[in-house]
Amino acid sequence: MTQIKVVTDSTADLTQQEIEEYGIRIVPLSIHIDGEIYTDRVNLGPEEFLEKMAKAESLPKSSQPSSGTFAEIYDELGSDGSDILSIHMTGGMSGTVKSAEAAAEMTTAPVTVVDSRYISHGLAFQVIEAAKMAQQGKSMVEITASLEDIRMKTMLYVVVDKLDNLVKGGRIGKGKGIIGSLLNIKPIASLQDGVYTPIGKARSHKQVAAQLFASFKEDTAGKLVKGIGISHANGLAMAEPLKRLIEESGFTDIRFSFTSPVVSTHTGAGAIGFMYYTD
């Protein structure tokens, strides 16, 4: 039976224990801050990144791993005849998937590349399921079909605390940003099919938690919730109240973590991501 090895990138917000337990290979993205280049979670952690971003002269930028880097990893992992399943952050925010696809054409190893259409725990849901199924000896066809099902049944919300990075990154106009900041508006957006779509707004951290929880309860009524994740960029003022509401409703197994610098670059400090998937 051919072994399947799972590869993902550093935006998946996996724990070191998960990486080791499921034998997942992480390919890190790079972060550029005022002329210096850092490797995500290798020589730059999420909290340190926020400190550097606050002092940076210009908005930091992230860059995907090169196709050459992916090809070297694929060659290494496939040297024993294994198949490779490479699952990555949404192509709507990064060229990582395209780099992986280019590398799949360069290597002699059999590689299947999947665009998760998500980030953070939304990506992790698919990566961990794939790794579990690979350990159970499932085929590539079975695994990719399961990932498609998870993708269709995943919901991801993003809430920023301040609009500065969205303005700097060109996601909203400067005029709207100034008005929004004056009114203390916190935009709530969904990330569906890799597309960032504003769906609401709140004026306090408490309102954000209440709105997200209400959407969660409505959307999951009568369904089996298979995974919940909350990630934040020093956004505990929104993340912790939301976590409490979910726990009080009976869900205690919540993935909770500091998110990748790659995501924080887009959202700015104080932001949160809330994601879940159902049966």
Side-chain angles (χ1 to χ4, degrees):
M1 185 181 294
T2 303
Q3 185 180 2
I4 295 173
K5 295 178 180 176
V6 176
V7 176
T8 191
D9 57 71
S10 54
T11 68
D13 291 343
L14 296 171
T15 66
Q16 190 58 38
Q17 181 180 341
E18 288 168 337
I19 292 166
E20 293 172 4
E21 180 179 353
Y22 298 115
I24 299 163
R25 184 65 170 266
I26 305 294
V27 186
L29 278 77
S30 299
I31 313 292
H32 302 248
I33 309 173
D34 291 343
E36 295 290 325
I37 300 176
Y38 302 87
T39 304
D40 185 15
R41 296 183 190 267
V42 175
N43 62 356
L44 182 67
E47 294 178 72
E48 183 188 1
F49 167 73
L50 289 181
E51 293 173 7
K52 288 183 179 296
M53 182 169 66
K55 299 173 185 174
E57 292 180 9
S58 57
L59 185 66
K61 298 185 184 303
S62 61
S63 60
Q64 69 266 21
S66 69
S67 53
T69 297
F70 273 118
E72 286 179 12
I73 290 169
Y74 295 158
D75 286 344
E76 174 197 332
L77 296 179
S79 62
D80 61 358
S82 294
D83 284 358
I84 298 158
L85 177 56
S86 206
I87 313 167
H88 298 288
M89 72 178 293
T90 172
M93 286 178 65
S94 167
T96 301
V97 166
K98 290 200 175 299
S99 276
E101 289 172 341
E105 297 295 321
M106 297 161 59
T107 182
T108 56
V111 180
T112 299
V113 178
V114 171
D115 183 341
S116 74
R117 301 284 183 167
Y118 290 100
I119 53 174
S120 187
H121 302 303
L123 167 57
F125 295 152
Q126 295 178 44
V127 172
I128 292 173
E129 178 67 13
K132 285 180 178 178
M133 291 182 73
Q135 287 183 347
Q136 294 163 5
K138 302 294 185 183
S139 70
M140 187 68 78
V141 170
E142 289 174 305
I143 296 173
T144 54
S146 180
L147 298 189
E148 177 65 24
D149 188 56
I150 293 172
R151 196 154 49 246
M152 297 292 290
K153 295 173 180 175
T154 296
M155 188 68 199
L156 189 154
Y157 296 99
V158 178
V159 187
V160 300
D161 191 41
K162 290 184 170 53
L163 304 176
D164 301 14
N165 282 42
L166 292 181
V167 173
K168 290 177 185 176
R171 291 183 179 269
I172 61 173
K174 190 172 182 180
K176 283 188 176 179
I178 292 171
I179 293 169
S181 295
L182 289 172
L183 296 175
N184 200 28
I185 289 173
K186 305 182 190 310
I188 301 172
S190 68
L191 186 69
Q192 291 296 103
D193 290 325
V195 179
Y196 180 88
T197 307
I199 59 170
K201 59 192 176 201
R203 292 198 179 176
S204 70
H205 297 140
K206 188 175 180 181
Q207 280 183 11
V208 168
Q211 283 190 41
L212 291 179
F213 179 65
S215 295
F216 167 74
K217 290 298 290 179
E218 181 180 355
D219 187 38
T220 61
K223 301 175 184 175
L224 174 65
V225 178
K226 301 191 74 174
I228 302 173
I230 299 172
S231 59
H232 69 91
N234 267 347
L236 294 176
M238 292 187 281
E240 288 185 334
L242 176 60
K243 184 172 182 279
R244 279 195 298 273
L245 287 171
I246 295 169
E247 287 174 337
E248 287 166 4
S249 72
F251 299 97
T252 55
D253 187 14
I254 301 170
R255 300 176 60 85
F256 192 86
S257 70
F258 218 112
T259 198
S260 159
V262 176
V263 176
S264 300
T265 298
H266 292 274
T267 64
I272 66 167
F274 172 45
M275 53 225 89
Y276 54 86
Y277 77 107
T278 59
D279 60 356

